[in-house]
Amino acid sequence: MKRALVLLLLGLLPLSARGDPAVLGRHLNTRLVAEVCATAFAFMEPRILEPEPVPTLAFWTLGGLAALDGRLHTELQGGLLRLVFAGQLLALRPAPAADDAAGWGEAVAALVRAAFDAAEPVRQAGTQGIVRALLDELCLHLDPYSRYVPPAEADADRVHRAGTAGIGAAIVATRDGGFVLDDIAPDGPAAAADLRAGDRVLAVDGRTLRGQTAETAAALLAGPEETQVVLTLRRLRAAPLDVTLQRVLVPPRTVRTDWHGDVLVLRISAFAIDTGARLADALAEGLAGTRRVRGIVLDLRGNRGGVLREAVAAAAVLLAEGVVATTEGRDKAALHRFVAHGFDMAAGLPVVVAVDGTSASAAEILAAALADQHRAVVVGSATLGKGLVQTIAPLPDGGELFVSWSRLIAPLGWPVQGLGVLPQVCTSEGAPPLLHQLGRLAHGVQPMAAALARHRAARTPLSPTEILAIRTACPAAEGGPLDLLAAQRLIHDPTAYAAALLGPAPTSVAAAAP
């Protein structure tokens, strides 16, 4: 009996696998499981928003085995980790020291080995499926935005964050089944070769596009950086022409320009590595034209966020100075005070920011900063309320771990998480309430004043009931035509714009970090 216990403690030989070489011979990369878990525990423990020790993180992780097979259950009693399978003790393991992330990684991997040898659903998941189940379960105990991204998805995400290698142009299908170039990036290879929107693309690298899908055609343009691609083009009725281009990393085009009469609309779809600079360029170009510009709309509807510092850079396009946001977290490296050091390129022109229920994260920071600093009126609905910032850890399996490590705080001190941005002009209740609100604003009265004051005075922590009560003043909704209608009315009515802009005086939140 004592010998059997020693085998269980030291070797973790599963009871159900004894004498079954076929089961024991199946492959599991135990070392990789241990390294991934140890890396995750060591990275998360000092950074997650609510402090939790490594043993708790490891115990939560082991819950992923039950997600693969409900007959598996883990217990931690008397300094021993116990793995139970279908009500029977499967394996024991001494609990490592509380601060030993590597030891807990080994302990988790050892129990995974036992479960792998005993349970067919675990074996079917394979090493990568097991890692995903473990880390998914761990992240479930944290917050909505901490997450594990497997290797293939992580590779795609890294490419997306950096920009994809291509020619700096999109390809779109026409009604007759052909394809034409569109959305030419001004600093990309296509523009340098004098290619134009509307040029018909007949073939890519000699492969005809006739009969291809739009996705296939787009995939042919993309490829490894610094490789060449040959496009066979036809412009108007001229003869086909072969053009050789070199693929480069082209950041996604996140800023687009539109006009609604004398109102310049700058649509920001996301915050990528150069969004701030692109916004500045688009604004400068719009203001330098022959059109009279009465005001500017920043359209952030549907913008899910992106690079926080690019939202700060975008704010600096319209703010000469002032706090844009602060971040608060347990790790000193997570503490920041973001301040605009720029100048108002719009020279005081009215600015309206359009948001909706899907505007999130960095988009919310830009809207909040411009509203709190009295530089813009926000119209639309309550935004998503994603006010947690993630830091990324590369993992030994090639995946990535996104860990929420700080909270975003608006210039007036209210938390973005949960609350979201409450607009100064609400469009989500429909046309009649909006027209009534615009009418009162035209007489210098802000109907949202009380709701806005309550929102701006909110401080962490907030209960779900408190958050809901504040957000009901303008329920979240998908953006629509009323948003730009309201923006135009405000821009053309200085009294209404000034009344909508009124609110608590902007102040600098105490510095979270130098």
Side-chain angles (χ1 to χ4, degrees), residues 418-442:
L419 275 182
V421 179
L422 191 67
Q424 291 130 301
V425 177
C426 181
T427 65
S428 63
E429 301 279 19
L434 171 61
L435 293 176
H436 175 72
Q437 186 178 2
L438 290 172
R440 296 193 67 189
L441 288 168

Side-chain angles (χ1 to χ4, degrees), residues 112-182:
V112 167
R113 172 80 258 178
F116 183 90
D117 291 339
E120 180 61 26
V122 180
R123 292 193 292 275
Q124 290 178 354
T127 300
Q128 192 56 58
I130 292 169
V131 167
R132 181 164 195 168
L134 295 175
L135 295 187
D136 282 351
E137 182 66 24
L138 171 58
C139 291
L140 281 177
H141 290 267
L142 300 175
D143 61 83
Y145 306 113
S146 293
R147 65 193 185 278
Y148 165 70
V149 181
E153 296 175 34
D155 287 341
D157 283 351
R158 283 188 286 266
V159 170
H160 178 73
R161 290 196 295 268
T164 55
I167 65 169
I171 188 168
V172 296
T174 60
R175 292 183 179 180
D176 63 1
F179 293 91
V180 296
L181 292 178
D182 190 31

Side-chain angles (χ1 to χ4, degrees), residues 295-298 318 346 349-353 370 375-377 491 497 501:
I296 298 157
V297 173
L298 297 185
L318 295 166
L349 281 173
V351 177
V352 174
V353 181
L370 295 178
R375 185 58 190 93
V377 173
I491 287 171
Y497 181 84
L501 201 62

